Amino acid sequence: MTAGATGGWHVATVVGARPLTRSARELTLSVPGLEASSPGQHLDVRLTAPDGYQATRAYSLAATGQAERADLVVDRVPDGEVSPYLVDVARPGDLMEVRGPLGGYFVWRPGDPGPVLLVAGGSGVVPLLAMLRARRASSSRAPFRLVCSVRGPADAIGREEIDEPTPGVEVHWVFSRESPPGWPTRPRRVADDDLAAPGFTAADGPDVFVCGPTGFVEAAAALLTGLGHAPDRVRTERFGGA
Amino acid sequence: MSIVTRGFGGRRDDPGDDVPPGQFVTQDFPVLSTGPTPSVDEAHWQLAVHTETGAAHRWSWDELMSLPAEDVTTDIHCVTHWSKLGTTWRGVSLDTLFADVETSADFVMAHSYGGYTTNVPLQDLLDGQSWVAYEFEGEPLEPVHGGPARLLVPHLYFWKSAKWLRGLVMEDDDQPGFWESNGYHAYGDPWLEQRYS
């Protein structure tokens, strides 16, 4: 990490924008000077209005490993100040600033051999998508299981990419409000059965990463410790209040 | 100001000078924790101060409740850029807990149930600057926010206010705690934007 007390900002130029759902968009930034990040890390993003007013928020990186480039997936927060701009207004050529990569704990490294259990609620899938992308881009054979909980199919960020068949990677969707047509189960919340799959049980000792809204993470982490996962093997990132 | 972000105006509901640089005001109380929320039963709760000589001072929950409490109204500032203004807490001042502690060490490592640690200079914990807080907004502190009791050091970024506090260990040197070992600043003054190392 190179960020000093108040320095470390890099000028970033939007070079790509791709809608993913009705509320989420992937933004690709070109950032000269930005070092390569690890899957799970995040950036500070700073916007500057014409009169100098600034607003800063932290966003998880959706793709990592490539220096001087940042891929963010941003979900619009109703009444938000920064996310509506990033989802609805920003377009290629626009400038902002970023600082990072940040965070050294909620990180999966492609050299780690053990099984990995990823549990995502809503847009909490973003740093876990970065881990999945890194797994697919590397020679890692670490068994991966990604459990994605979303309200309905229209809210599923990156579903086609996530579902791409990959040996050693299993993906499990849970729809909490509305299931897709023909889906075998009714809408429901994540439960023990979703988390306790063969090869990823507490006895298998997976590294567990949980990300999502606070209520989701609290519930999922409690299920996981109830299933016997050691609390220090369950890494969490939460957003929103409680 | 080096660049302008086309099309960005900002919402401008910041109250200005009350908020450190790079912060925005939230009405929520966001939760940031590195792992599952530990369940800590007040009947088995204990707080200890360990000094460099090996001496230990311990309080049970009932003993903590029997100490003089203070009501505190303060702003809190999280390194993830949110600030929450005018929060109200109730707890025991560290001045009270350290009244009989003899130490010549200058640094404290706060330890939490669940294994979290964070380092704070002793001089930042004394003279009315920190508390062991067990109520928030008039209610018992919820586990998700660090209950039954957390450290409250509001003049530093909020990761210094260790949730689920269980011990304070005196150290001669300023050793990094959990986030301080993971890229965050050793001291964490929000007014100087000491976010990252």
Side-chain angles (χ1 to χ4, degrees), chain A residues 1 3 5-6 11 42 44 47-53 55-57 79-81 85 89 91 94-97 99 102 104-105 214 218 225 231 234-236 238 240-242, chain B residues 1-14 22 24 28-37 80-81 142 144-145 178-179 182-184 192-197:
Chain A
M1 203 158 309
T6 56
V11 174
H42 62 276
D44 282 348
L47 309 184
T48 303
D51 65 352
Y53 172 83
T56 307
R57 299 291 188 278
D79 305 324
E81 181 176 31
Y85 174 83
V89 181
R91 66 186 188 211
D94 287 344
L95 301 177
M96 54 194 74
E97 290 169 290
R99 174 167 58 185
L102 302 170
Y105 182 68
T214 292
E218 284 301 305
T225 52
V234 179
R235 299 177 187 216
T236 60
R238 300 161 169 83
Chain B
M1 182 180 83
S2 51
I3 58 118
V4 167
T5 306
R6 179 207 62 83
F8 177 67
R11 208 175 44 199
R12 316 270 176 156
D13 50 6
D14 282 3
F24 68 94
D28 279 347
F29 194 172
V31 175
L32 293 112
S33 309
T34 61
T37 296
T80 65
H81 302 283
E142 290 179 58
V144 74
H145 292 304
F178 180 85
W179 281 122
N182 279 285
Y184 288 80
L192 298 177
E193 276 211 87
Q194 293 175 337
R195 298 177 189 274
Y196 312 117
S197 57

Coordinates of all heavy atoms in Angstrom, one line a residue, chain A residues 1 3 5-6 11 42 44 47-53 55-57 79-81 85 89 91 94-97 99 102 104-105 214 218 225 231 234-236 238 240-242, chain B residues 1-14 22 24 28-37 80-81 142 144-145 178-179 182-184 192-197:
Chain A
M1 N 0.8 -1.2 0.0 CA 0.0 0.0 0.0 C 0.9 1.2 0.0 O 1.8 1.3 0.7 CB -0.9 0.0 1.2 CG -2.1 0.8 1.1 SD -3.3 0.3 2.2 CE -3.4 -1.5 1.9
A3 N -0.5 4.6 -0.1 CA -1.2 5.8 0.3 C -0.6 6.3 1.6 O -0.5 5.7 2.6 CB -2.7 5.4 0.5
A5 N -0.7 9.7 4.4 CA -1.7 10.2 5.3 C -2.9 10.8 4.5 O -4.0 10.5 4.8 CB -1.1 11.3 6.3
T6 N -2.6 11.7 3.6 CA -3.7 12.2 2.8 C -3.4 12.1 1.3 O -4.2 12.5 0.5 CB -3.9 13.7 3.1 OG1 -2.7 14.4 2.9 CG2 -4.4 13.9 4.5
V11 N -5.4 9.8 -10.6 CA -6.4 10.2 -11.5 C -6.9 9.0 -12.3 O -6.1 8.2 -12.8 CB -6.0 11.3 -12.5 CG1 -7.0 11.6 -13.5 CG2 -5.6 12.6 -11.7
H42 N -10.4 -3.3 -1.9 CA -11.3 -2.2 -2.4 C -10.5 -1.0 -2.7 O -9.3 -0.9 -2.4 CB -12.4 -2.0 -1.4 CG -11.9 -1.5 0.0 ND1 -11.5 -2.4 0.9 CD2 -11.8 -0.3 0.5 CE1 -11.1 -1.8 2.0 NE2 -11.3 -0.5 1.8
D44 N -10.8 3.5 -2.5 CA -11.5 4.7 -2.3 C -11.7 5.5 -3.6 O -10.8 5.6 -4.4 CB -10.8 5.7 -1.3 CG -10.9 5.2 0.1 OD1 -11.7 4.4 0.5 OD2 -10.1 5.7 1.0
L47 N -15.0 11.9 -6.0 CA -15.6 12.7 -7.1 C -15.4 14.2 -6.7 O -15.5 14.5 -5.5 CB -17.0 12.4 -7.3 CG -17.4 10.9 -7.5 CD1 -18.9 10.8 -7.8 CD2 -16.6 10.2 -8.6
T48 N -15.1 15.0 -7.7 CA -14.9 16.4 -7.4 C -15.9 17.2 -8.3 O -15.8 17.1 -9.6 CB -13.5 16.8 -7.7 OG1 -12.6 16.0 -6.9 CG2 -13.2 18.3 -7.4
A49 N -16.7 18.0 -7.7 CA -17.7 18.9 -8.4 C -16.9 20.1 -9.0 O -15.8 20.4 -8.5 CB -18.8 19.4 -7.5
P50 N -17.5 20.8 -10.0 CA -16.8 22.0 -10.6 C -16.3 23.0 -9.5 O -15.3 23.7 -9.7 CB -17.8 22.6 -11.5 CG -18.7 21.4 -11.9 CD -18.7 20.6 -10.6
D51 N -17.0 23.2 -8.4 CA -16.6 24.2 -7.4 C -15.7 23.6 -6.4 O -15.4 24.3 -5.4 CB -17.8 24.8 -6.8 CG -18.6 23.8 -5.9 OD1 -18.3 22.6 -6.0 OD2 -19.5 24.1 -5.2
G52 N -15.2 22.4 -6.6 CA -14.2 21.8 -5.6 C -14.8 20.9 -4.6 O -14.1 20.2 -3.9
Y53 N -16.2 20.9 -4.4 CA -16.8 20.0 -3.5 C -16.4 18.6 -3.8 O -16.5 18.2 -5.0 CB -18.3 20.2 -3.5 CG -19.1 19.2 -2.7 CD1 -19.2 19.3 -1.3 CD2 -19.6 18.0 -3.3 CE1 -19.9 18.4 -0.6 CE2 -20.3 17.1 -2.6 CZ -20.4 17.3 -1.2 OH -21.1 16.3 -0.5
A55 N -16.7 14.2 -2.7 CA -17.3 13.1 -2.0 C -16.5 11.9 -2.2 O -16.2 11.6 -3.3 CB -18.8 13.0 -2.4
T56 N -16.3 11.1 -1.1 CA -15.5 9.9 -1.2 C -16.3 8.7 -0.7 O -16.9 8.8 0.4 CB -14.2 10.1 -0.4 OG1 -13.6 11.3 -0.8 CG2 -13.3 8.9 -0.6
R57 N -16.2 7.6 -1.4 CA -16.8 6.3 -0.9 C -15.8 5.2 -1.2 O -15.0 5.3 -2.1 CB -18.1 6.0 -1.5 CG -19.2 7.1 -1.3 CD -19.7 7.1 0.1 NE -20.9 8.0 0.2 CZ -20.8 9.3 0.3 NH1 -19.7 9.9 0.3 NH2 -22.0 10.0 0.3
D79 N -31.2 7.3 -2.7 CA -30.8 8.5 -2.0 C -29.3 8.6 -1.8 O -28.9 9.4 -1.0 CB -31.5 8.6 -0.6 CG -33.0 8.5 -0.8 OD1 -33.5 9.1 -1.8 OD2 -33.7 7.9 0.1
G80 N -28.5 7.8 -2.5 CA -27.1 7.9 -2.3 C -26.5 9.2 -3.0 O -27.2 9.8 -3.8
E81 N -25.3 9.5 -2.7 CA -24.7 10.7 -3.3 C -23.7 10.3 -4.4 O -23.7 11.0 -5.4 CB -23.9 11.5 -2.2 CG -23.3 12.7 -2.7 CD -22.6 13.6 -1.7 OE1 -22.1 13.0 -0.7 OE2 -22.6 14.8 -1.8
Y85 N -24.4 8.6 -9.3 CA -23.6 9.2 -10.3 C -22.8 8.1 -11.1 O -22.8 8.1 -12.3 CB -22.6 10.2 -9.7 CG -21.6 10.7 -10.7 CD1 -21.9 11.7 -11.6 CD2 -20.4 10.0 -10.9 CE1 -21.1 12.1 -12.6 CE2 -19.5 10.4 -11.9 CZ -19.8 11.4 -12.8 OH -19.0 11.8 -13.8
V89 N -24.7 8.3 -14.4 CA -24.2 9.5 -15.1 C -22.8 9.3 -15.7 O -22.6 9.7 -16.9 CB -24.1 10.7 -14.1 CG1 -23.6 12.0 -14.8 CG2 -25.5 10.9 -13.5
R91 N -19.6 8.4 -17.8 CA -19.5 7.8 -19.1 C -18.0 7.8 -19.5 O -17.2 8.6 -18.9 CB -20.4 8.5 -20.1 CG -19.9 9.9 -20.3 CD -20.9 10.6 -21.2 NE -20.3 12.0 -21.6 CZ -21.1 13.0 -21.8 NH1 -22.4 13.0 -21.8 NH2 -20.5 14.2 -22.1
D94 N -14.9 10.4 -18.6 CA -15.0 11.1 -17.3 C -13.9 10.8 -16.4 O -13.3 9.7 -16.4 CB -16.4 10.8 -16.6 CG -17.5 11.5 -17.4 OD1 -17.3 12.4 -18.2 OD2 -18.7 11.0 -17.2
L95 N -13.6 11.8 -15.5 CA -12.4 11.7 -14.6 C -12.9 11.7 -13.2 O -13.9 12.3 -12.8 CB -11.5 13.0 -14.7 CG -10.9 13.2 -16.1 CD1 -10.1 14.5 -16.1 CD2 -10.0 12.1 -16.5
M96 N -12.2 10.9 -12.4 CA -12.4 10.8 -10.9 C -11.0 10.5 -10.3 O -10.0 10.4 -11.1 CB -13.5 9.9 -10.5 CG -13.3 8.5 -11.1 SD -14.8 7.5 -10.9 CE -15.9 8.2 -12.2
E97 N -11.0 10.3 -9.0 CA -9.7 9.9 -8.4 C -10.0 8.6 -7.6 O -11.0 8.4 -7.0 CB -9.2 11.0 -7.5 CG -8.7 12.2 -8.3 CD -8.5 13.4 -7.4 OE1 -9.4 13.9 -6.8 OE2 -7.3 13.7 -7.2
R99 N -7.9 5.8 -4.7 CA -6.8 5.5 -3.8 C -6.8 4.0 -3.4 O -7.9 3.5 -3.1 CB -6.8 6.4 -2.6 CG -5.8 6.1 -1.6 CD -5.7 7.2 -0.5 NE -7.0 7.4 0.1 CZ -7.2 8.4 1.0 NH1 -6.2 9.3 1.3 NH2 -8.4 8.6 1.6
L102 N -6.8 -1.2 -1.2 CA -7.0 -1.2 0.3 C -7.5 -2.5 0.9 O -8.2 -3.2 0.2 CB -8.0 0.0 0.7 CG -7.6 1.4 0.1 CD1 -8.7 2.3 0.4 CD2 -6.3 1.9 0.8
G104 N -6.2 -5.7 3.7 CA -5.3 -6.8 3.6 C -5.9 -8.1 4.2 O -5.1 -9.1 4.4
Y105 N -7.1 -8.1 4.6 CA -7.6 -9.2 5.4 C -8.7 -10.0 4.6 O -8.7 -11.2 4.6 CB -8.2 -8.8 6.7 CG -8.7 -9.9 7.6 CD1 -7.9 -10.8 8.1 CD2 -10.1 -10.0 7.8 CE1 -8.3 -11.9 8.9 CE2 -10.6 -11.1 8.6 CZ -9.7 -12.0 9.2 OH -10.2 -13.0 9.9
T214 N -25.6 -5.8 6.2 CA -25.3 -6.2 7.6 C -26.3 -7.3 8.0 O -25.8 -8.3 8.6 CB -25.5 -5.0 8.5 OG1 -24.4 -4.1 8.2 CG2 -25.4 -5.4 9.9
E218 N -24.9 -10.9 9.2 CA -25.1 -11.4 10.6 C -25.8 -12.8 10.6 O -25.3 -13.7 11.3 CB -26.0 -10.4 11.3 CG -25.2 -9.2 11.8 CD -24.1 -9.4 12.7 OE1 -24.2 -10.1 13.7 OE2 -22.9 -9.0 12.3
T225 N -21.1 -20.4 12.0 CA -20.5 -20.8 13.3 C -21.4 -21.8 14.0 O -20.9 -22.7 14.6 CB -20.4 -19.5 14.2 OG1 -21.6 -18.8 14.3 CG2 -19.3 -18.6 13.7
P231 N -14.8 -19.3 14.1 CA -15.1 -17.9 13.8 C -13.9 -17.2 13.1 O -14.1 -16.4 12.3 CB -15.3 -17.3 15.2 CG -15.9 -18.4 16.0 CD -15.1 -19.7 15.5
V234 N -14.0 -17.4 9.3 CA -15.1 -16.8 8.6 C -14.8 -15.3 8.5 O -14.8 -14.6 9.5 CB -16.4 -17.0 9.4 CG1 -17.6 -16.4 8.7 CG2 -16.7 -18.5 9.5
R235 N -14.4 -14.8 7.4 CA -14.1 -13.4 7.2 C -15.3 -12.7 6.6 O -16.0 -13.3 5.7 CB -12.9 -13.3 6.2 CG -11.7 -14.0 6.8 CD -10.5 -13.9 5.8 NE -9.5 -14.8 6.4 CZ -8.2 -14.5 6.4 NH1 -7.7 -13.4 5.7 NH2 -7.3 -15.3 7.0
T236 N -15.6 -11.5 7.1 CA -16.9 -10.9 6.7 C -16.6 -9.5 6.3 O -15.7 -8.8 6.7 CB -17.8 -10.8 7.9 OG1 -17.2 -10.1 9.0 CG2 -18.2 -12.2 8.4
R238 N -19.4 -6.2 5.7 CA -20.8 -5.8 5.7 C -20.9 -4.4 5.2 O -20.0 -3.6 5.2 CB -21.2 -5.8 7.2 CG -21.1 -7.1 8.0 CD -21.1 -6.7 9.5 NE -21.3 -7.9 10.3 CZ -20.3 -8.7 10.7 NH1 -19.1 -8.5 10.3 NH2 -20.5 -9.7 11.5
G240 N -24.0 -1.1 5.2 CA -25.3 -0.7 5.6 C -25.4 -0.8 7.1 O -24.6 -1.3 7.8
G241 N -26.5 -0.1 7.6 CA -26.7 0.0 9.1 C -27.4 -1.2 9.7 O -27.9 -2.1 9.1
A242 N -27.4 -1.1 11.1 CA -28.1 -2.1 11.9 C -28.6 -1.3 13.1 O -28.1 -0.4 13.5 CB -27.2 -3.2 12.3
Chain B
M1 N -7.4 20.8 -5.6 CA -8.3 20.2 -6.6 C -7.6 20.1 -7.9 O -7.1 21.0 -8.5 CB -9.5 21.1 -6.7 CG -10.5 20.6 -7.7 SD -11.9 21.7 -7.8 CE -11.4 22.9 -9.0
S2 N -7.4 18.8 -8.4 CA -6.6 18.6 -9.6 C -7.5 18.3 -10.8 O -7.2 18.7 -11.9 CB -5.7 17.4 -9.4 OG -6.4 16.3 -8.9
I3 N -8.7 17.7 -10.5 CA -9.5 17.3 -11.7 C -11.0 17.7 -11.3 O -11.3 17.9 -10.1 CB -9.4 15.8 -12.0 CG1 -9.8 15.0 -10.7 CG2 -8.0 15.4 -12.4 CD1 -11.0 14.1 -10.9
V4 N -11.8 17.7 -12.3 CA -13.3 17.8 -12.1 C -14.0 16.6 -12.7 O -13.7 16.2 -13.8 CB -13.8 19.1 -12.7 CG1 -15.3 19.2 -12.8 CG2 -13.2 20.3 -12.0
T5 N -15.0 16.1 -11.9 CA -15.7 15.0 -12.4 C -17.0 15.5 -13.1 O -17.9 16.0 -12.4 CB -16.1 14.1 -11.2 OG1 -14.9 13.7 -10.5 CG2 -16.8 12.8 -11.7
R6 N -17.0 15.4 -14.4 CA -18.1 15.9 -15.2 C -19.4 15.4 -14.7 O -19.5 14.2 -14.5 CB -17.9 15.5 -16.7 CG -19.0 16.0 -17.6 CD -19.2 15.1 -18.8 NE -19.5 13.8 -18.5 CZ -20.8 13.4 -18.3 NH1 -21.8 14.2 -18.3 NH2 -21.0 12.1 -17.9
G7 N -20.4 16.2 -14.6 CA -21.7 15.8 -14.2 C -22.0 15.5 -12.8 O -23.1 15.1 -12.4
F8 N -20.9 15.7 -11.9 CA -21.1 15.4 -10.5 C -21.4 16.7 -9.8 O -20.6 17.7 -9.9 CB -19.9 14.7 -9.9 CG -20.0 14.5 -8.4 CD1 -21.0 13.7 -7.9 CD2 -19.2 15.2 -7.5 CE1 -21.1 13.5 -6.5 CE2 -19.3 15.1 -6.2 CZ -20.3 14.2 -5.7
G9 N -22.5 16.8 -9.1 CA -22.8 18.0 -8.3 C -22.7 17.8 -6.8 O -22.3 18.7 -6.1
G10 N -23.0 16.6 -6.4 CA -23.0 16.4 -4.9 C -24.3 16.7 -4.3 O -25.1 17.5 -4.8
R11 N -24.5 16.1 -3.2 CA -25.8 16.3 -2.5 C -25.8 17.4 -1.5 O -26.8 18.0 -1.1 CB -26.2 15.0 -1.8 CG -27.7 14.8 -1.7 CD -28.0 13.4 -1.1 NE -27.1 13.1 0.0 CZ -26.9 11.9 0.5 NH1 -27.5 10.9 -0.1 NH2 -26.1 11.7 1.5
R12 N -24.6 17.7 -1.0 CA -24.3 18.9 -0.2 C -25.1 19.0 1.1 O -25.5 20.1 1.5 CB -24.7 20.2 -1.0 CG -24.2 20.1 -2.4 CD -22.8 20.7 -2.5 NE -22.3 20.6 -3.9 CZ -21.4 21.4 -4.4 NH1 -20.9 22.3 -3.7 NH2 -21.0 21.2 -5.6
D13 N -25.4 17.9 1.7 CA -26.0 18.0 3.0 C -25.0 17.8 4.2 O -25.4 17.6 5.3 CB -27.1 17.0 3.2 CG -26.7 15.6 2.8 OD1 -25.5 15.4 2.5 OD2 -27.5 14.7 2.7
D14 N -23.7 18.0 3.8 CA -22.7 17.9 4.9 C -22.8 19.2 5.7 O -23.0 20.3 5.2 CB -21.3 17.9 4.3 CG -21.0 16.4 3.8 OD1 -21.9 15.6 3.9 OD2 -19.9 16.3 3.3
G22 N -12.9 14.3 4.0 CA -13.1 13.0 3.4 C -14.3 12.2 4.0 O -14.5 11.1 3.6
F24 N -18.5 11.7 5.2 CA -19.9 12.1 5.0 C -20.7 11.7 6.2 O -20.3 10.8 6.9 CB -20.4 11.6 3.7 CG -20.7 10.1 3.7 CD1 -21.9 9.5 4.0 CD2 -19.6 9.2 3.4 CE1 -22.1 8.1 4.1 CE2 -19.8 7.8 3.4 CZ -21.0 7.3 3.7
D28 N -27.6 6.3 9.5 CA -27.5 4.9 9.8 C -26.4 4.6 10.9 O -25.7 5.5 11.2 CB -27.1 4.0 8.6 CG -28.2 3.8 7.7 OD1 -29.4 4.0 8.1 OD2 -28.0 3.3 6.6
F29 N -26.3 3.4 11.3 CA -25.2 3.0 12.1 C -24.5 1.8 11.4 O -24.8 0.7 11.8 CB -25.6 2.7 13.6 CG -24.4 2.6 14.5 CD1 -24.7 2.5 15.9 CD2 -23.1 2.7 14.1 CE1 -23.6 2.4 16.8 CE2 -22.0 2.6 15.0 CZ -22.3 2.4 16.4
P30 N -23.7 2.1 10.4 CA -23.1 0.9 9.7 C -22.3 0.0 10.6 O -21.8 0.4 11.6 CB -22.2 1.6 8.6 CG -22.7 3.0 8.5 CD -23.2 3.4 9.9
V31 N -22.2 -1.2 10.2 CA -21.5 -2.2 10.9 C -20.3 -2.7 10.1 O -20.4 -3.1 9.0 CB -22.4 -3.5 11.2 CG1 -21.6 -4.6 11.9 CG2 -23.5 -3.0 12.1
L32 N -19.1 -2.6 10.7 CA -17.9 -3.2 10.0 C -17.2 -4.1 11.1 O -16.7 -3.6 12.1 CB -17.0 -2.1 9.5 CG -17.6 -1.3 8.4 CD1 -17.9 0.1 8.8 CD2 -16.8 -1.4 7.1
S33 N -17.2 -5.4 10.8 CA -16.5 -6.3 11.7 C -15.8 -7.3 10.8 O -16.3 -7.6 9.7 CB -17.5 -7.1 12.6 OG -18.4 -6.2 13.2
T34 N -14.7 -7.9 11.3 CA -13.9 -8.8 10.4 C -14.4 -10.2 10.4 O -14.0 -11.0 9.5 CB -12.5 -8.8 10.9 OG1 -12.5 -9.4 12.2 CG2 -11.9 -7.5 10.9
G35 N -15.3 -10.5 11.3 CA -15.8 -11.9 11.3 C -17.2 -12.0 12.0 O -17.9 -10.9 12.1
P36 N -17.6 -13.2 12.4 CA -19.0 -13.3 13.0 C -19.0 -12.5 14.3 O -18.0 -12.3 15.0 CB -19.1 -14.8 13.3 CG -18.1 -15.5 12.4 CD -17.0 -14.5 12.2
T37 N -20.2 -12.0 14.6 CA -20.4 -11.3 15.9 C -20.4 -12.3 17.0 O -21.2 -13.2 17.1 CB -21.8 -10.6 15.9 OG1 -21.8 -9.6 14.8 CG2 -22.1 -9.9 17.2
T80 N -14.0 4.2 6.8 CA -14.7 4.0 5.5 C -15.6 5.2 5.1 O -16.4 5.0 4.3 CB -15.6 2.7 5.6 OG1 -16.6 2.9 6.5 CG2 -14.8 1.5 6.0
H81 N -15.3 6.3 5.7 CA -15.8 7.6 5.3 C -17.1 8.1 5.9 O -17.5 9.2 5.6 CB -15.9 7.7 3.7 CG -14.5 7.5 3.1 ND1 -13.6 8.4 3.0 CD2 -14.0 6.4 2.5 CE1 -12.5 7.9 2.4 NE2 -12.7 6.7 2.1
E142 N -26.0 -3.2 21.5 CA -26.3 -4.4 20.8 C -25.0 -5.2 20.4 O -24.0 -4.5 20.1 CB -27.1 -4.1 19.5 CG -28.5 -3.6 19.6 CD -29.1 -3.3 18.2 OE1 -29.1 -4.3 17.4 OE2 -29.5 -2.2 18.0
V144 N -24.1 -6.5 17.7 CA -23.6 -6.2 16.4 C -22.7 -4.9 16.5 O -21.8 -4.7 15.7 CB -24.7 -6.1 15.4 CG1 -25.5 -4.8 15.6 CG2 -24.2 -6.2 14.0
H145 N -23.0 -4.1 17.5 CA -22.2 -2.8 17.6 C -21.2 -2.9 18.8 O -20.6 -1.9 19.2 CB -23.2 -1.7 17.9 CG -24.0 -1.3 16.7 ND1 -23.5 -1.0 15.5 CD2 -25.4 -1.2 16.5 CE1 -24.4 -0.7 14.6 NE2 -25.6 -0.9 15.2
F178 N -4.8 -5.3 14.8 CA -5.3 -6.1 13.7 C -5.3 -5.2 12.4 O -4.6 -5.6 11.4 CB -6.7 -6.6 13.9 CG -7.3 -7.3 12.8 CD1 -7.0 -8.7 12.6 CD2 -8.1 -6.7 11.8 CE1 -7.5 -9.4 11.5 CE2 -8.5 -7.3 10.7 CZ -8.3 -8.7 10.6
W179 N -6.0 -4.1 12.4 CA -6.1 -3.3 11.2 C -4.8 -2.6 10.9 O -4.4 -2.4 9.8 CB -7.2 -2.3 11.2 CG -8.6 -3.0 10.9 CD1 -9.7 -3.0 11.6 CD2 -8.9 -3.7 9.7 NE1 -10.7 -3.7 11.0 CE2 -10.2 -4.2 9.8 CE3 -8.2 -4.1 8.5 CZ2 -10.9 -4.9 8.8 CZ3 -8.8 -4.8 7.5 CH2 -10.1 -5.3 7.7
N182 N -2.8 -4.5 8.8 CA -3.4 -4.8 7.5 C -3.6 -3.5 6.7 O -4.6 -3.4 6.0 CB -4.8 -5.5 7.7 CG -4.6 -7.0 8.0 OD1 -4.3 -7.8 7.1 ND2 -4.7 -7.4 9.2
G183 N -2.6 -2.6 6.8 CA -2.6 -1.5 5.9 C -3.2 -0.2 6.5 O -3.1 0.8 5.8
Y184 N -3.7 -0.2 7.8 CA -4.3 1.0 8.3 C -3.3 1.7 9.3 O -2.3 1.1 9.7 CB -5.6 0.7 9.0 CG -6.6 0.4 8.0 CD1 -6.7 -0.9 7.4 CD2 -7.5 1.4 7.5 CE1 -7.6 -1.2 6.4 CE2 -8.4 1.1 6.5 CZ -8.5 -0.2 5.9 OH -9.4 -0.4 4.9
L192 N -6.6 14.6 10.7 CA -5.4 14.6 9.9 C -5.5 13.5 8.8 O -4.6 13.3 8.0 CB -4.2 14.3 10.7 CG -3.9 15.3 11.8 CD1 -2.7 14.9 12.7 CD2 -3.7 16.7 11.2
E193 N -6.7 12.9 8.6 CA -6.9 11.8 7.7 C -5.8 10.8 7.7 O -5.3 10.3 6.7 CB -7.0 12.4 6.2 CG -8.4 12.9 5.9 CD -8.8 12.7 4.4 OE1 -9.2 11.6 4.0 OE2 -8.5 13.7 3.7
Q194 N -5.5 10.3 8.9 CA -4.5 9.2 9.1 C -5.2 7.9 8.9 O -5.5 7.1 9.8 CB -3.9 9.3 10.4 CG -3.0 10.6 10.6 CD -2.4 10.7 12.0 OE1 -3.0 10.2 13.0 NE2 -1.3 11.5 12.1
R195 N -5.6 7.6 7.6 CA -6.3 6.4 7.3 C -5.4 5.2 7.1 O -5.7 4.1 7.7 CB -7.2 6.6 6.0 CG -8.2 7.7 6.1 CD -8.9 7.9 4.8 NE -9.7 9.1 4.8 CZ -11.0 9.2 5.3 NH1 -11.5 8.1 5.7 NH2 -11.6 10.3 5.3
Y196 N -4.4 5.3 6.3 CA -3.7 4.2 5.8 C -2.2 4.4 6.1 O -1.7 5.5 6.3 CB -3.9 4.0 4.3 CG -5.3 4.1 3.9 CD1 -5.8 5.1 3.0 CD2 -6.2 3.1 4.4 CE1 -7.1 5.1 2.7 CE2 -7.6 3.2 4.0 CZ -8.0 4.2 3.1 OH -9.3 4.3 2.8
S197 N -1.5 3.2 6.3 CA -0.1 3.3 6.6 C 0.7 3.5 5.3 O 0.2 3.3 4.2 CB 0.4 2.0 7.3 OG 0.1 0.9 6.5

